Structures are given as C-alpha cells and as structure tokens.
Amino acid sequence: AMEDVCAKFVSQKISKTRWRPLPAAALQPPDLFATGSWDNEDNRISIWSVGDLGNVGLSGEYQGEPQLLCDIRHNGDVMDMQFLDQERIVVASSTGTVTVFRHHQNNQTLSANQRWEKAHYHVDQDTSCGGAACTGVICNNPEIVTVGEDGRINLFRADQKDAVRTIDNADSSTLHAVTFLRTTEILTVNSIGQLKIWDLRQQRNEPSQIFSLTGDRVPLHCVDRHPNQQHIVATGGQDGMLSIWDIRQGTMPVSLLNAHEAEMWEVHFHPSNPDHLFTCSEDGSLWHWDTSTDISEKPSFLHQGGRSTTYFSHSTINQSVVSAWLSNDPTKDRMEITNLIPNQTLSVNSLDILGPCLVYGTDAEAIYVNRQLFA
C-alpha cells in the first residue's frame, strides 16, 4: 500500500493536517487540505491541492505531489485546526489566541478573518506573558468551542467579537481536546485521564457527567465520537492505549486496546465508514483499525439468541457491526490492525480522513497523502 502514498517535504514540522470538507452533495474525492506547523521559527498555515489528477501511472495509481496553493504566517505553534466551512479555518495557538483564517479561492490567498486574542490565559488577560496554549478546537458552524491548558472552555460564534460563553475553571488540569456529542453537548478530555460531558444549555459551570480511566490517571490527548452512534467515543492517551467508551453506561471505558508505544496524538473514526478507525502516535506509526468483516463471519454478533435467521433489517446489521467497538475485546472478533507506515521513526502528529483519502503530517517535516485507502 506504500506505493499509493505521495510524500511532500515541506521544511517545517507539521502539527496538524485537515481535509477541506466537501459540499454536501459532492461525489468527488477531497481535493484540498490545510496544514499547520509547530516548533519552527516561522510557523505557517498552508493550503495544498492534492496534486495533478491527470498524471496517472501505468497501473492507475496517481502521481504528482501535493502543490502549495497559498500560506500565511501564524503566531505560535499550531495546536489544533478545524475547517468551519469551505472557506474558513479555525486555528488554535500555543499563545492562547484563536484565529479564523479565510481561504480566498479566486486569487489563492489566506487572510486572518477574525481573531480572539488570548482566548486562553493564565492569571489574567492583561499580563504580557499570560497566554496559555489553546490545545483544542471543534466547530459546528457558526459555533466554535475551544479548550486550553488553563482549564477553560470557550464558546465562540463566527462573526461575533466576544465569547458567547466561557466556563472559567471548567477543569483544574489541562484540557487536551474537545468534540461535539450533539449540537448542545460537548465532551472534553484532560491530563488526568478524565472525560467530561458539558451541556451548553445549562448555565451551571459543572460537567453533567464525568468518566475516568481507572488507576493511573494517564493523560488523554485526543477524542473522537462515532459519527452515527453518538454514545460511542474513542480516546487516546499518553501511554498509547486506545480506549472505547459507551457514555450511556458506567464511568469507565468499555475496552482498552494496546496500541502505540508512545503518546497517541489523534484518533479518528472514518466519517462515512466508522467500522474503520485511525490513530497516530509519537512512536512514528499510524494504525488503521478495521472491524468491518463479512457478516457471515461474525455469528457471535448476530445470533446471540442461538437461532440464526438468514436476513436482517438494515438497522440490525448496523447495530451489530457497530457493537464490534463495544465488545469487551474487539480484537477477538476479527479486528484487523495495520500499521500504514511501518518504518517511520519521528512522530506522526496528525491525520485526517475523508472518503478514500488519508492525509498525515510528521516531525520529519513531511506531509503524506494516500488517495486509495480502501483499494
């Protein structure tokens, strides 16, 4: 599968990679992605096109490396980045500032469209060095939620100058990542192994539910929610373990899966094919977790009653396959796990998947695109 991957060396360490979302009715694969860098003298937000579609090799594989369309300077390390819509990208900075950049497609330029200075800060907003890293951002246009090292949660709205809502001491430890569970609820993960659910309709500044890893309080770095089953959540932590949670029950993960040898930086369910999950790590690996095996090969899921029927309604099948993530040890039930980059040595900091396409970025100052993920 390695020959399907196109590499581009970019002379900066890449901290985030994100596909531009496709319009709702689009059938074509994604064609543009954004990257953000870190730990460079001059960090940048860049927009890339995936390369020359017309340039196809003999066996049908595509050739041509990603082309830089435009870039812009970014103050501080890019800690997180999400597209708000087709044109705008929200970027979280290590300085605590949150910026919305606009990609102007008519003349291929980027400009800062809106900025919340020191959305995250230590002590008070006025001290010159008081910025606290904004570690995570999630968008549900026009709403933008940010979390930070200061334990704060902000709810912004695009085109509004002030925060709609701020929960000042949401957490006494660092918040590392955030995701929407539904339009009014968010879920955060922190540096002492806790997941917390916040109901944004409630005025109180306390979480509505708290879940935690037992024992060691391992910091959690990333979280993603299953796209169709909103109660299934995956997290990854400092120890490289993948945890699957069912937020309808209990306060502990349903399953803990041995994954990477070092920090897991990102976890993503495939947005339209969530039997597939992807994780990347400081240890230089990127894993594809596949629970989609032939239904006939999975009697354990479908015939719990012992009597088998030969046809199932669509919903039963969906339920059963999805529950692969919720079984106590999904790996027993024919989960296939593939390391998509066997001999990388430096950290894979970020990945994103859309349709058949994967993009990831590394500390080896390179971005990689695979456009035939399921070939």
Side-chain angles (χ1 to χ4, degrees), residues 113 254 326 341:
N113 182 238
V254 183
L326 294 184
I341 25 180

Side-chain angles (χ1 to χ4, degrees), residues 62-73:
Y62 114 100
Q63 297 168 326
E65 56 178 29
Q67 303 295 314
L68 179 65
L69 296 177
C70 50
D71 64 355
I72 192 169
R73 210 166 157 238

Side-chain angles (χ1 to χ4, degrees), residues 96-371:
T97 295
V98 176
T99 311
V100 183
F101 290 97
R102 187 179 283 275
H103 173 215
H104 306 272
Q105 295 178 51
N106 52 354
N107 62 359
Q108 293 304 342
T109 56
L110 274 164
S111 64
N113 182 238
Q114 186 171 10
R115 185 173 275 133
W116 293 283
E117 294 282 349
K118 295 217 174 98
H120 294 272
Y121 55 91
H122 293 303
V123 208
D124 66 297
Q125 248 163 323
D126 305 319
T127 48
S128 57
C129 57
C134 176
T135 50
V137 57
I138 194 77
C139 305
N140 185 16
N141 192 4
E143 299 195 317
I144 298 165
V145 175
T146 69
V147 296
E149 187 171 271
D150 53 358
R152 225 175 235 99
I153 299 174
N154 291 307
L155 172 61
F156 295 108
R157 206 159 274 142
D159 307 325
Q160 284 190 22
K161 198 164 63 84
D162 297 318
V164 179
R165 171 105 189 261
T166 294
I167 305 178
D168 266 332
N169 298 310
D171 211 301
S172 52
S173 57
T174 295
L175 289 169
H176 280 146
V178 59
T179 191
F180 274 101
L181 284 180
R182 42 181 69 85
T183 48
T184 54
E185 270 189 327
I186 56 166
L187 185 144
T188 57
V189 296
N190 70 12
S191 60
I192 57 169
Q194 293 172 322
L195 273 69
K196 295 182 183 179
I197 296 179
W198 307 83
D199 185 337
L200 297 173
R201 290 165 305 191
Q202 300 269 333
Q203 280 316 298
R204 6 175 249 125
N205 293 340
E206 269 88 54
S208 51
Q209 274 178 285
I210 300 180
F211 302 82
S212 60
L213 289 169
T214 42
D216 301 339
R217 301 196 148 210
V218 175
L220 291 170
H221 288 297
C222 53
V223 59
D224 196 27
R225 188 204 83 199
H226 190 289
N228 322 334
Q229 307 272 318
Q230 298 181 329
H231 52 276
I232 299 179
V233 170
T235 63
Q238 186 84 27
D239 55 2
M241 294 280 277
L242 173 65
S243 308
I244 306 290
W245 311 70
D246 180 346
I247 59 174
R248 297 169 307 182
Q249 49 180 312
T251 55
M252 296 183 318
V254 183
S255 53
L256 285 169
L257 299 166
N258 271 313
H260 302 278
E261 327 242 299
E263 292 89 345
M264 185 189 295
W265 292 131
E266 285 194 5
V267 55
H268 293 287
F269 285 101
H270 190 289
S272 52
N273 201 343
D275 297 340
H276 298 266
L277 176 113
F278 297 81
T279 59
C280 64
S281 166
E282 180 70 31
D283 68 8
S285 61
L286 191 160
W287 287 16
H288 173 189
W289 307 69
D290 176 4
T291 62
S292 70
T293 48
D294 183 10
I295 288 182
S296 61
E297 295 174 277
K298 277 200 165 170
S300 56
F301 285 138
L302 294 175
H303 314 315
Q304 273 121 352
R307 243 189 74 206
S308 65
T309 50
T310 46
Y311 52 89
F312 300 96
S313 74
H314 186 64
S315 62
T316 331
I317 287 179
N318 271 352
Q319 283 302 125
S320 62
V321 175
V322 155
S323 62
W325 292 118
L326 294 184
S327 77
N328 288 341
D329 181 5
T331 45
K332 271 204 202 64
D333 296 299
R334 319 272 309 256
M335 184 191 288
E336 285 180 58
I337 305 166
T338 319
N339 180 8
L340 298 182
I341 25 180
N343 42 23
Q344 199 2 72
T345 51
L346 292 175
S347 179
V348 182
N349 296 322
S350 183
L351 71 97
D352 198 26
I353 29 172
L354 191 56
C357 302
L358 164 73
V359 59
Y360 58 95
T362 73
D363 273 353
E365 306 194 344
I367 45 181
Y368 298 85
V369 176
N370 177 343
R371 293 172 63 194

